[in-house]
Amino acid sequence: MNMQKGKPEWWDKAVEHLSADPLLGRSVKLYSEGHLSGHGEIFQTLVRSIVGQQISVKAADTIHRRLEELCGEIDRESISACTAEEVSSCGLSRKKSDYILGIATSEIPLLPEGFEELDDGAIAEHLVQFKGVGPWTADMMLIFSLMRPDVLCLGDLGIERGIQDLVPQAVTKRQMLEVAESWRPFRSAACWFLWRSLDPFPVEY
């Protein structure tokens, strides 16, 4: 299922909005040459997200590259043709390998019919029915594949750390939501800039 590729159409408006923010503006101006980038295929984003669960961006890139060497273009058909042992040999745990293979061979569509008209919560509810897809992975798909502009991924340790670097006293989810309120309606872009401020490798899924 093909999605948008490259820079989101709303990105320039997001940069304009966030660059004026007293907390995030400095990072936005520092990294404004980059942008969130979609790869155009939702299954690829799903695989990247599962690969990237609880490991560094650099490690995830290495494993994903090995998967591409094994399968060629990563899609449901190419992954389904592999065994769990072959997928694990790329550096994945057996559990992650089983998740990826399970989703590849599932008859359930990755997105519900008419998803374009659904809100973020409804799409996330559909996604988390797949074993291995939790709220964090659903958020990654909303941000990096569906290019939804206002997703705040508070299940991500990097986002929590980035917000606390800006406002050290923001320690609860409620306090972090309050910090991020002024970033609406472009909290997906805010997440990207928070990640970028913490990691020399731009986050991609």
Side-chain angles (χ1 to χ4, degrees), residues 68-82:
E68 288 179 322
E69 292 169 357
L70 173 67
C71 300
E73 183 174 0
I74 293 177
D75 54 32
R76 278 180 137 174
E77 291 74 22
S78 65
I79 292 290
S80 296
C82 298

Side-chain angles (χ1 to χ4, degrees), residues 16-156:
E16 181 180 0
H17 175 72
L18 296 173
S19 63
D21 185 83
L23 293 173
L24 198 59
R26 182 177 178 276
S27 291
V28 174
K29 292 170 184 174
L30 192 60
Y31 300 109
S32 60
E33 79 287 349
H35 56 80
L36 171 68
S37 185
H39 290 275
E41 171 51 55
I42 191 168
F43 184 72
Q44 289 183 14
T45 297
L46 178 57
V47 170
R48 281 180 175 271
S49 298
I50 292 175
V51 168
Q53 290 171 358
Q54 299 180 320
I55 63 174
S56 71
V57 174
K58 186 175 182 180
D61 285 345
T62 299
I63 293 171
H64 192 268
R65 190 163 51 250
R66 291 173 185 161
L67 270 177
E68 288 179 322
E69 292 169 357
L70 173 67
C71 300
E73 183 174 0
I74 293 177
D75 54 32
R76 278 180 137 174
E77 291 74 22
S78 65
I79 292 290
S80 296
C82 298
T83 66
E85 289 74 18
E86 288 172 328
V87 175
S88 295
S89 72
C90 297
L92 286 164
S93 67
R94 184 57 185 263
K95 185 178 288 187
K96 285 186 178 182
S97 300
D98 288 343
Y99 290 158
I100 290 170
L101 280 167
I103 296 167
T105 56
S106 174
E107 295 183 359
I108 300 172
L110 291 178
L111 290 172
E113 186 176 349
F115 70 89
E116 297 93 341
E117 307 303 320
L118 296 177
D119 63 25
D120 297 343
I123 293 175
E125 187 176 343
H126 173 85
L127 292 171
V128 297
Q129 72 182 302
F130 293 103
K131 196 170 183 179
V133 177
W136 179 86
T137 303
D139 281 348
M140 295 306 101
M141 295 174 73
L142 286 166
I143 294 172
F144 287 93
S145 186
L146 299 180
M147 300 264 184
R148 294 293 176 104
D150 197 36
V151 179
L152 181 67
C153 187
L154 285 185
D156 186 274

